[in-house]
Structure formats: structure tokens, C-alpha cells
Amino acid sequence: MTLPVTLTLNAGSSSLKFSMYNIAGAGEPQLMAVGGVENIGGQPQLKTQFGLNEPAVKQDLAAVQAQDHSSALNTALALLREKFPAAKASVVGHRVVHGGPHFSKAVVINDAVLKELKSLSPLAPLHEPHNIAGVEAAKIHFPDALQVACFDTAFHRKHPKVNDTFAIPREYYDKGVRRYGFHGLSYEYISGELERIAPLLFAGRVVVAHLGNGASMCAILNGRSVASTMGFTPLDGLPMGTRCGQIDPGVIFYLQQQEGLSVDQVRDMFYYKSGLLGLSDISNDMRVLLNAQVPEAHEAIDYFVFRIRRELGGLAATLGGVDALVFCGGIGENAVEIRRRICEDLSWIGIEVDTNKNEANAQVISTEFSRTRVMVIPTNEELVIARAAKRLLAEQQ
Ligand code: ADP
């Protein structure tokens, strides 16, 4: 007997994250395995975890086992087949970073959709081509499976026009130069969790802070994104592990004209050498910075916290107040000290955090008198993809 499963794939420049969910029956997809191949094309490593309560296992791979996305997928699949011989992938769900102006929900990838995704590559040259490589690889490995695209931009597509534009000549809006917003799969998950555990808050004014290696914030009104800190690319807004976040465009002209840097050098600096890494000159990893006893590390953390508080004020103004502030992502879910500092002296906005609850990483970390409920909800982007894959598969049958 075969077991219907969905694979979710998240292909980055040198990594391929995957998960496998049991989609038999009517309920939620059930996680069977999660993992990833890192350093594709270099000295690759494979990380796997079979079920959330099992330990994660890391192993080195030979270079030929992951010289490109297709061979990395092959290696991961061989492991999954050995562990779950009865599993049959009926549908593969892909995380696709950019859905352009039109895709406002997950879609089945047919030839026309694939063509449109390729046409969107110039909007996200560092991400989209890798996502497409993941689709191409999965089509070869699973010619009979349904392929589904889930977009990081989709959740924001219905945000108001005023948050969709930049104040540059109008013709560029029509050419696609818009404020798209990203991390949409995470925001969709958090919004769904709020609807489930706190429906009144879901129907209210919510700010979600997704603070991981990539970081952004989103203002959500009655389940709908109304503003977010990322814009045309996932570079805007908050400083991140290695990305600079909001920057005066004049800095770009200066770096090119006065410092003689090329377009590619500036781009690489802003994407890979800035943020916490650039400011601290030590690491992009918040844990390392929190333990580093040097002023540069403190300054990087100060800037991270400062920008989050500043954006929180702006998003709160957009919403006319905040009923709930939700933290997620590796830093948001774990960094007690960062949450404490972000929420310090915010009683004017209705936020009062309970020190003990914060230290315990409780789901609700605000005091019972806090007007705004402050919550920690672990995000789960893979589950959002698995749900969409299961739903679209059912619609096809
Ligand atoms: P990505 O955006 O790559 O998915 P994650 O959501 O996994 O990233 O977040 C990674 C970040 O979370 C790193 O900066 C890491 O240091 C931070 N982090 C994870 N656990 C902790 C912790 N216990 N305390 C502080 N920071 C943490």
C-alpha cells in the first residue's frame, strides 16, 4: 500500500530545504521529516529530522552528491525513500519568493505559470532562479506529481495601493516597481494561528515581527496585510543577519561614484556583508553577538532593536493602535533579551511585558494588565506550503 505525501521544497542559492508530510485523510498534513542540504556545489552537508521530537542528524556529503539542486534533491530523496518506502509524493509544494503583482495565492504550476515565474526572475535575481531550479528538478524526479507554487509575496498582494507604491515616476509602477512585501508564508501561518487561538485578536490590529536571519514586520488588520517593512526586494526595512535593511538611496550613489564600487559590489555588500554582520564585524548570528563582550556587538544589537521599535511605532500608527504584537523567527522565538529590549518602555502603546513569562518563552508574555497582548508563536512556513499543496491536489481530483 502506498502512503500519499507532499514534499515541500525551498531552494536557495546553495541550499535546498525540504519537508515531507503525510496528506492521507481529511485532517491537517502530518509532518514526517524535515531537513536540508547546505553548501550545494561546495562541501555539502545534509541535515535531517524525522518528526519534531526526534533529534536532528547532520552528515557530510561527497561533493558529487549535491553538485547542483537536482543531485541534492536526489540525495535527499534516496534517504526519504529508504526511511519511508511506502511514501508516494502526489504533490510537491515549492516556496517561491516572488509572485509579482498578480499571484495572490498558491497556484498549480503549469507551463504558463512556469513561464510567468521565469519572467519574474529579474525582480528577484538572487532568489527566483533557484526556486525555479527547484521546480525543474522536482518535475524530473516526480513527473506525475502536481507541482504547486506558494509565494512569499502573496499574503501582501491585497495591501492598500498607498503601501504598494514608491514616489518615483508612475511608469515604473506599471513596470512592476512596487512594494511587494515578503515573509508572507510566515505571516499567513501566524495569522491562522491567531484566528485559531485568539479569534478576537485576529479580527483586530496585529503587528507580527518575524525576526530570523531575514527579518521583517507586518501590520495585519482583520487578517489582511496592510503594511510591511520589506518592499521591492527582501532588502528593505529592518537590518538583518547580513542585509542592511532601509538605507538612503544616496548611499548607493556615493559608494559607486566616490568609492568606485560596481553595481554588483554594492549589491553584494547590502545583501551579504551588512546588517548585524556588517555593523558588528563579528557575526550575523544573534546568539554570538549576545555573548560577545565588545562594543561593536552591542552597537549592532542596539541598531537592530532601535529599528524594530521605530517600525513598530510606524506600523502602530498605520493600524491606529495595536491589539497584539507577535514575535516569531529564530530571534523572535528564542531571544529573551531582544524581546525585553524591544518592549521596554512601550506602555504608551499599551505594551507591558511580564519578565518571568518572557524568560519562560511563554505563548503570552505580556502582563494581564497590558492593553496589547504580546505573544510568541513559533512560525511554520512548511506547513503553510503543505496545506496549500494538499488543498490544490484535492481540487484537481
Ligand atoms: P532564517 O531566517 O535563516 O530561517 P532563523 O529564523 O532560524 O533564520 O533565525 C536565525 C537567528 O535566530 C540567528 O541570528 C540565531 O542566532 C537566532 N537565534 C536562534 N536561537 C536563539 C537564541 N536562543 N537566542 C538568541 N538568538 C537565537
Side-chain angles (χ1 to χ4, degrees):
M1 229 184 66
T2 58
L3 175 68
V5 300
T6 180
L7 280 179
T8 74
L9 295 182
N10 178 2
S13 57
S14 62
S15 69
L16 181 73
K17 293 186 190 151
F18 58 84
S19 66
M20 190 162 99
Y21 284 81
N22 174 350
I23 53 168
E28 275 273 78
Q30 299 297 316
L31 182 71
M32 298 165 72
V34 59
V37 182
E38 276 166 16
N39 232 347
I40 295 173
Q43 290 293 309
Q45 279 198 316
L46 172 69
K47 197 168 138 193
T48 36
Q49 191 179 6
F50 297 107
L52 279 183
N53 300 322
E54 299 296 316
V57 178
K58 228 175 181 175
Q59 66 188 89
D60 289 329
L61 297 174
V64 290
Q65 288 179 286
Q67 54 201 5
D68 54 21
H69 285 87
S70 187
S71 69
L73 180 58
N74 216 358
T75 301
L77 289 177
L79 188 95
L80 292 173
R81 284 199 182 106
E82 190 184 313
K83 180 86 182 169
F84 304 107
K88 179 175 185 301
S90 323
V91 51
V92 182
H94 299 268
R95 181 177 183 171
V96 178
V97 78
H98 217 305
H102 303 306
F103 291 118
S104 58
K105 55 184 182 191
V107 291
V108 170
I109 306 175
N110 55 26
D111 290 346
V113 168
L114 191 56
K115 196 168 160 206
E116 187 158 356
L117 294 185
K118 286 180 179 166
S119 78
L120 293 170
S121 275
L123 292 178
L126 299 183
H127 299 92
E128 202 86 342
H130 307 296
N131 300 158
I132 292 168
V135 175
E136 308 271 22
K139 278 177 69 171
I140 294 169
H141 287 281
F142 303 101
D144 301 327
L146 196 69
Q147 308 285 333
V148 165
C150 301
F151 302 100
D152 263 317
T153 49
F155 186 73
H156 305 289
R157 277 316 352 106
K158 296 195 182 84
H159 63 197
K161 173 105 191 253
V162 72
N163 188 66
D164 205 34
T165 50
F166 295 106
I168 57 174
R170 299 188 75 89
E171 60 183 289
Y172 292 101
Y173 180 84
D174 297 330
K175 288 178 176 171
V177 183
R178 304 180 187 192
R179 194 182 293 280
Y180 290 99
F182 297 86
H183 279 146
L185 298 173
S186 176
Y187 295 130
E188 185 178 332
Y189 178 80
I190 298 294
S191 209
E193 282 300 281
L194 268 188
E195 187 173 18
R196 193 174 64 79
I197 55 186
L200 286 179
L201 291 178
F202 165 78
R205 303 160 298 180
V206 178
V207 173
V208 181
H210 177 114
L211 308 178
N213 212 8
S216 74
M217 293 168 77
C218 183
I220 305 174
L221 190 61
N222 197 7
R224 181 181 157 202
S225 165
V226 292
S228 55
T229 58
M230 281 178 170
F232 179 60
T233 64
L235 198 55
D236 200 2
L238 305 178
M240 312 178 209
T242 62
R243 286 175 246 165
C244 59
Q246 188 276 332
I247 195 155
D248 177 346
V251 173
I252 303 169
F253 312 141
Y254 179 86
L255 291 174
Q256 293 185 344
Q257 290 170 341
Q258 308 302 325
E259 294 282 323
L261 299 189
S262 69
V263 174
D264 285 354
Q265 284 172 320
V266 175
R267 185 198 63 190
D268 286 354
M269 179 199 291
F270 286 1
Y271 268 99
Y272 306 119
K273 298 176 188 160
S274 300
L276 295 173
L277 174 67
L279 263 176
S280 69
D281 216 6
I282 298 173
S283 174
N284 64 320
D285 191 310
M286 183 57 87
R287 274 167 300 199
V288 174
L289 297 182
L290 284 167
N291 290 322
Q293 305 299 329
V294 291
E296 291 81 2
H298 296 163
E299 279 173 24
I301 295 173
D302 288 349
Y303 183 70
F304 186 72
V305 171
F306 166 76
R307 290 300 315 195
I308 292 168
R309 287 166 61 88
R310 193 175 143 156
E311 294 290 348
L312 176 61
L315 295 174
T318 305
L319 290 167
V322 189
D323 300 308
L325 168 63
V326 182
F327 287 103
C328 65
I331 298 172
E333 290 164 27
N334 301 295
V336 173
E337 173 65 5
I338 300 297
R339 288 197 304 254
R340 184 191 68 73
R341 289 189 52 186
I342 291 169
C343 296
E344 204 168 46
D345 297 329
L346 282 185
S347 53
W348 63 273
I349 215 174
I351 289 177
E352 281 178 44
V353 159
D354 180 311
T355 308
N356 295 333
K357 290 180 186 167
N358 186 34
E359 282 172 5
N361 283 320
Q363 185 178 67
V364 176
I365 60 168
S366 46
T367 66
E368 50 181 307
F369 304 109
S370 182
R371 260 189 297 124
T372 301
R373 198 176 307 172
V374 185
M375 305 178 76
V376 179
I377 302 181
T379 197
N380 194 340
E381 290 147 305
E382 280 74 27
L383 182 57
V384 174
I385 299 173
R387 283 175 182 159
K390 184 175 181 185
R391 177 171 45 79
L392 287 169
L393 179 68
E395 283 174 16
Q396 298 283 308
Q397 288 171 338

